[in-house]
Amino acid sequence: MTCGPGFYARRLSRPGAVLAPMAGYSDAPLRQLAAEEGALWTVSEMISARGLVLGGDSEKLTLGRPYPGEANRVVQLFGAEPDILAEAVRRAQAWFTPAALDLNMGCPVPKVRGRGGACLLQTPEVAYDLVRAMRGATELDVSAKIRLGWDTNRSVEVAQGLAAAGASLITVHGRTSAQRYTGEADWDAVARVAASVDVPVVGSGDVRSAAQARARLRSGVAAVMIGRGAVGNPWVFRALATGEDAAPDAGERARTALRHARLHVAFYGADRFGLLSVRPLRKVLPQYLPDHPDLREALVQVNTVEDVERALAPLLAGSGADEDRMKVYEISGPPGGARGML
């Protein structure tokens, strides 16, 4: 359900953290697990504005499609043309019922260059026009996610321009685009941005635990965004929402890994070969069980949910896995195609 204006302010009135947009990771199953554990909101993988406007059958695009009952999900767009982004906002709102819209100004991937992402940090006046165009196309909150700059720190200047253009919230990743993911995130720079604008600032970069997130909150940000630290660890959101840091045991970790696999096939259905495949989760499942490297070899070779269940069998015995299986049906329903394979 669309949440209307003021979404960010409402969600920031409570404790917690935000799930970052991550290409290839922050899809519907991961967002669902993070939301259930108390994430303030989740952000979709970035979606090309031109793809939405010119791509034909984009209404069924899995990057934007919500899981049944999904709420508090922000759709992130990237692009560099105001008219295209405005139309993409209208389509995203109609098709994907987001709670808010976010402009990607942080993706450093070379293939995005010239089409938006971190390139906008070189020409921030273009980004300000984009935010104004997005604001003109919707009543929902519009935000932007930036890095410190392209190769030098211009974050205060850029954040102030975005706020003046109408951004309701700004997320700052504490690296330049040139740094990609090397070195350490500069949280002193993030703090300077938070102190320089009147809109909420969310900080991002190198947060892998609840303790680190709480320490980063002391920089003056309104909330912390967690990306890689949440993959295989949705419980970090529970800790920050409730203040309880009790770590899940191996059985709960294994059950959640298996449930992630079941949510995956429930959302995506059969692939082009008719298989309910979990191959995209090979990079994710081992991260649920960092203390069990003996299971890694099996988990990076899985093809089906049954493979996952066999790999995790030593930890699943008597752990309530059948109850988790039914929970997937109740929330997501069975996938299309071979419905008896879950």
Side-chain angles (χ1 to χ4, degrees), residues 77-96:
L77 301 173
F78 78 93
E81 302 156 289
D83 56 339
I84 294 291
L85 263 167
E87 180 59 24
V89 164
R90 286 187 282 267
R91 295 191 183 199
Q93 185 169 344
W95 293 345
F96 306 140

Side-chain angles (χ1 to χ4, degrees), residues 4-340:
F7 167 77
Y8 287 127
R10 290 193 297 274
R11 298 303 296 173
L12 288 171
S13 67
R14 63 190 71 194
V18 181
L19 176 67
M22 295 176 285
Y25 288 93
S26 61
D27 62 353
L30 181 60
R31 296 197 310 267
Q32 182 166 339
L33 293 170
E36 290 173 357
E37 294 296 339
L40 291 175
W41 64 84
T42 64
V43 188
S44 73
E45 301 169 82
M46 68 177 183
I47 302 171
S48 164
R50 289 185 65 84
L52 278 188
V53 175
L54 306 174
D57 195 21
S58 295
E59 186 170 359
K60 297 178 181 178
L61 187 70
T62 56
L63 291 178
R65 181 164 57 94
Y67 60 80
E70 183 169 15
N72 303 324
R73 184 274 318 261
V74 174
V75 166
Q76 187 185 75
L77 301 173
F78 78 93
E81 302 156 289
D83 56 339
I84 294 291
L85 263 167
E87 180 59 24
V89 164
R90 286 187 282 267
R91 295 191 183 199
Q93 185 169 344
W95 293 345
F96 306 140
T97 60
L101 284 305
D102 187 66
L103 175 64
N104 183 301
M105 295 178 59
C107 180
V109 176
K111 69 179 181 180
V112 176
R113 289 180 185 169
R115 297 184 291 146
C119 284
L120 295 171
L121 297 169
Q122 297 174 294
T123 55
E125 63 281 356
V126 173
Y128 309 152
D129 287 342
L130 297 177
V131 168
R132 282 189 281 265
M134 293 171 70
R135 283 296 304 267
T138 182
E139 293 183 354
L140 301 179
D141 287 354
V142 171
S143 56
K145 185 173 188 289
I146 69 173
R147 284 179 170 242
L148 298 181
W150 178 254
D151 53 10
T152 58
N153 186 354
R154 302 179 64 184
S155 54
V156 168
E157 167 202 349
V158 172
Q160 290 174 339
L162 291 169
S168 299
L169 177 140
I170 300 166
T171 299
V172 184
H173 180 92
R175 291 181 174 88
T176 64
S177 178
Q179 286 180 275
R180 299 290 294 267
Y181 295 98
T182 62
E184 294 184 3
D186 184 349
W187 277 83
D188 290 336
V190 175
R192 288 191 289 272
V193 176
S196 74
V197 293
D198 293 330
V199 300
V201 169
V202 173
S204 169
D206 300 341
V207 177
R208 294 184 175 274
S209 69
Q212 288 177 328
R214 294 188 186 104
R216 296 312 187 190
L217 283 171
R218 293 196 287 271
S219 66
V221 295
V224 169
M225 178 175 278
I226 304 176
R228 290 172 288 177
V231 178
N233 185 30
W235 304 280
V236 68
F237 297 108
R238 180 202 303 175
L240 292 165
T242 66
E244 299 177 4
D245 286 2
D249 61 20
E252 183 178 356
R253 287 182 171 277
R255 289 196 306 273
T256 304
L258 178 57
R259 182 157 177 260
H260 193 155
R262 287 175 172 154
L263 288 171
H264 183 91
V265 298
F267 182 77
Y268 289 103
D271 64 16
R272 60 193 180 96
F273 301 108
L275 178 69
L276 293 174
S277 173
V278 297
R279 287 174 63 93
L281 295 183
R282 290 176 173 183
K283 62 188 177 184
V284 174
L285 296 174
Q287 298 190 58
Y288 279 100
L289 296 155
D291 296 331
H292 290 268
D294 53 306
L295 301 179
R296 178 177 177 81
E297 183 175 355
L299 289 172
V300 299
Q301 299 182 64
V302 294
N303 290 303
T304 66
V305 170
E306 291 78 10
D307 292 340
V308 177
E309 193 162 11
R310 281 191 291 271
L312 297 175
L315 301 178
L316 291 172
S319 65
D322 288 340
E323 294 179 10
D324 290 340
R325 179 174 180 166
M326 292 308 298
K327 191 175 182 181
V328 174
Y329 277 106
E330 291 168 4
I331 294 175
S332 302
R339 297 180 180 269

